[in-house]
Amino acid sequence: MISEKMKELVKGNSVIREMFEEGKKLKAIYGEENVFDFSLGNPNVAAPQEVNDAIIKIAQSEDTCFLHGYMSNAGYEDVRDKIANSINNKFSTRFSLKNIIMTSGAASGLNIVLKTILNPKDEVVVFAPYFSEYNNYIQNYDGIVTKVEPNVQNFEPNIEQFKEKINYKTKAVLINTPNNPTGIVYSEEILKKITNIMSQKEKEYKHPIYLISDEPYREIVYDNIEIPYVTKYYNNTIIVYSYSKSLSLPGERIGYVVIPNELDNSGEMIEAVTIANRILGFVNAPSLMQRVLLYCLESKTDVESYKKNRDLLYSIITENKFECIKPQGAFYLFVKTPIQDDKEFCNIAKKYNILVVPGSSFACPGYVRIAYCVSNKMIERSRQAFKQLATEFK
Ligand code: PLP
C-alpha cells in the first residue's frame, strides 16, 4: 500500500501524465510529423560538442577508480574552485570553492536547501505562475506554499500582494528568472523591491528569510538582456543553478548551489546543505559530469536557435490574435486563452493535434504554456493548426 501522502501526490501529477499518454496516442494515429507536441521542457538543442569530447577524453585519461568513485558530498574541489572563479569573473563576486556545493540538477539543489531550512509549517513564498514541482518540493519537508497571485500585466511579481503575504512564518522566498512558464526576466528594480521588503521583514521578525533563486534558464536569454546576480542585493540569498538547459544535459543531473559567506551562519548552512545531499540519498552529484564541467564551463548552448523558435512561434500566435507577452528568456510562451477554462482550451487544441500545458498547472488559470524547445520545422508545420484553432473562437 502506498502512503496517504503519496496518494495525494500521484493524483496531483495526473495532468502531465495524461498529456504524455495523449501525445503518444495521437502520434500513433496521425504520425509523428502531424502532432505538434509543445508540452515538455526538454531541450531540443544538442549538448555542445565539447561535452562529448570531454567525456571521451576523461574516460581515456583519468584513473577509472577515481573517476567512478565517491568523493566529498559537496563535490570535487577542483570543479568547485573553477565554478567559483567563473562566477566571480562574470559577476564580480568573491566566492571560493567552499561556497559551491555540487548537486544532481536544480531539482536536488532545491530539495537539499528546503530540507535544510524548513521546519514543519514554515512557509515558502512563491510567485504565480511558477514551476509546479515547487509544491512537491516544499511539501516534501512539510512546508507550506504561500502563493502570491499572478500579475498578468507583465508577469513580474505582484509586490503589493507580496507585502501582504510575507509573515512571521515565512522562511524563504523562491524566485525563478528567466521564468518557467512565462519566459519573463525579473528586472533589477523588481529584485530590489523584493529584497528591500525581505530586509525590513528580517529586522522586524528577527530571523533570517532566505531568498532562493532558481536559475536553470540563466544562460537562455535574448536581445542582450542582463540577468542580475541576486547575491548582490541580499545577503541571505542561495542560488540554485543547473546545467540541464544551459548545456542541454537534463538527463545527466548536474548543477550546483551557491551559499555566500555573507549569509547568516554561512558555515553552518554550507555544512548542513552538504549533509542534506547525502541523507536525501543523492550522496553526491554525478562524478563524470562534474569532471566534464572542468572542460565545458564556458561552453554555450545554441541560444540563437531558441530565439529563432521564439520569434517564429510568437509571430504565429499573435497573427492568430492570441494574446501573449514576448518572452525574454527560457523557452516558453505563456498565452492567454480566449476562454477562461484553460483545460478546456487544451482539449480543443488537441483536436488540431496541438499539445500545450494548462496555466492552472502553474497556478495561473486562463493561460497555456507552449514550450518551444522543439524543432523549428515543427513550429512551421503547426502554423495551419494554430490558424484552425483560432477560428474556433471567432
Ligand atoms: N526549476 C525550474 C523552473 C525548471 O523549469 C526545472 C526543469 O524544467 C527545474 C527547476 C529542474 O531542473 P533540473 O533538471 O536541473 O533538476
Side-chain angles (χ1 to χ4, degrees), residues 117 123-125 127 159 162-163 166-167 170-175 190-213 230 233-238 264:
I117 63 174
E123 297 186 18
V124 180
V125 175
F127 296 97
I159 294 295
F162 176 51
K163 282 188 206 154
I166 192 167
N167 70 80
T170 305
K171 197 57 167 293
V173 175
L174 175 49
I175 59 170
I190 209 86
L191 290 169
K192 282 185 175 162
K193 281 186 185 162
I194 292 173
T195 50
N196 283 341
I197 294 166
M198 290 176 69
S199 297
Q200 279 167 21
K201 294 294 176 185
E202 278 195 331
K203 278 198 201 106
E204 189 181 329
Y205 303 143
K206 299 194 175 49
H207 64 68
I209 303 173
Y210 301 102
L211 179 62
I212 305 171
S213 183
V230 205
Y233 309 107
Y234 188 68
N235 286 348
N236 281 327
T237 298
I238 298 175
D264 288 1

Side-chain angles (χ1 to χ4, degrees), residues 41 104-108 110 131 134 137 176 178-180 214 216-217 241-245 250 253-254 332 369:
S104 306
S108 91
L110 290 166
F131 181 49
Y134 291 167
Y137 301 163
N176 165 227
N179 183 264
N180 174 9
D214 177 28
Y217 302 97
Y241 186 86
S242 163
Y243 294 94
S244 289
K245 321 286 169 167
R253 317 305 305 134
I254 185 75
Y332 308 105
R369 187 191 78 173

